[in-house]
Amino acid sequence: MIKLIASDMDGTLLNGSHEVGKETVQAINEARNAGIEVIIATGRSYKEAVVPLKNAGLSLPVVVVNGAEIRNEKGEQLYQKGLTTQKANEAADALEQLDIYFEIYTEEGTYTNHREHGIQLLIDIFLTSNPDTPLPHVKEEAENRYDEGHVHVVDDYHAVFSSSETVYKFLAFSSKPEKLEKAREVLNNLGGLAISSSGKENLEITSADAQKGIALEWFINQRGIDAEDVMAIGDNYNDVSMMKLAGWSVAMGNAPKDIQEICRYVTSTNREEGVAKAIRKLTEIETKV
């Protein structure tokens, strides 16, 4: 039977308004009341992940920055897998040589060396999952990310690498597919890195030990839960590692076709609260077995 549900956030848990819908909140609470644990697994930093959860009245453990960190409901760190200083420098040098913009995520927050590029990056990522959202609204949300202190502007990333902060992830962006493909090739050749994406115009680079599936496996082992009893819901390539782990893999209706094809089930889109529908359908199936 399903004992734990792991859900991605953007394009999955969150609707077109970047909120957790009322039906989804209700379904999560129904699952928890039935004794099923729920955890969020996202590419976001912890500070950015908890905002929509708090707004929805949800207190849940979270896998953040693609599996580089796990925190419990109180925000206490349970698990951490960062990049070595050497790998961070090597990856940064490679991306800079290819003239690809990127941000870095650390235990102290997110950094950019170009505010306007960062704002445009967030707009493009958001519109990938929510193409019908009005641009002025998306731009306002992106600018708030800086105004509220979620992202810090620095002149030189290498100064951050040489500090005591643990670097979790690089989020690289380009509208040119050939640039991203070249970057993927170069980064793969460095070794020790996991390279995925949350949209067609970005790459997410973490330690090879920092992936959603690896972090989720650690979490369920701590709980004594078998992978066969886990439901994992997602919409993009950085969700694949946890989809392959889980006995009950669910793709969103807005996920690319190749993501849908590797999953056991396909639910509705995030705009149609597909997470709620998946929870209710599959936990009901399990109750009857």
Side-chain angles (χ1 to χ4, degrees), residues 62-115:
V62 288
V63 173
V64 292
V65 278
N66 276 5
E69 187 180 37
I70 302 175
R71 299 211 187 194
N72 64 17
E73 296 91 333
K74 297 178 181 178
E76 298 166 338
Q77 187 184 78
L78 306 178
Y79 173 100
Q80 182 189 65
K81 296 289 182 181
L83 289 160
T84 65
T85 301
Q86 178 183 345
K87 286 300 174 187
N89 278 293
E90 288 176 358
D93 289 342
L95 292 170
E96 287 170 352
Q97 287 172 14
L98 291 168
D99 192 28
I100 293 177
Y101 169 78
F102 63 98
E103 293 179 356
I104 59 173
Y105 289 57
T106 79
E107 63 181 334
E108 299 297 331
T110 304
Y111 294 87
T112 180
N113 60 1
H114 198 301
R115 177 187 169 97

Side-chain angles (χ1 to χ4, degrees), residues 140-196:
E140 181 182 359
E141 289 287 321
E143 290 174 344
N144 286 343
R145 188 171 178 238
Y146 290 83
D147 296 339
E148 293 172 4
H150 294 304
V151 182
H152 311 287
V153 181
V154 294
D155 293 327
D156 183 10
Y157 287 142
H158 294 276
V160 179
F161 302 152
S162 62
S163 72
S164 59
E165 293 184 46
T166 300
V167 177
Y168 289 149
K169 183 179 86 166
F170 289 22
L171 178 60
F173 170 79
S174 176
S175 59
K176 298 179 180 179
E178 65 276 11
K179 267 195 172 185
L180 291 181
E181 189 56 38
K182 181 62 177 177
R184 185 184 290 273
E185 177 186 342
V186 172
L187 293 166
N188 272 325
N189 288 337
L190 294 177
L193 300 173
I195 302 159
S196 61

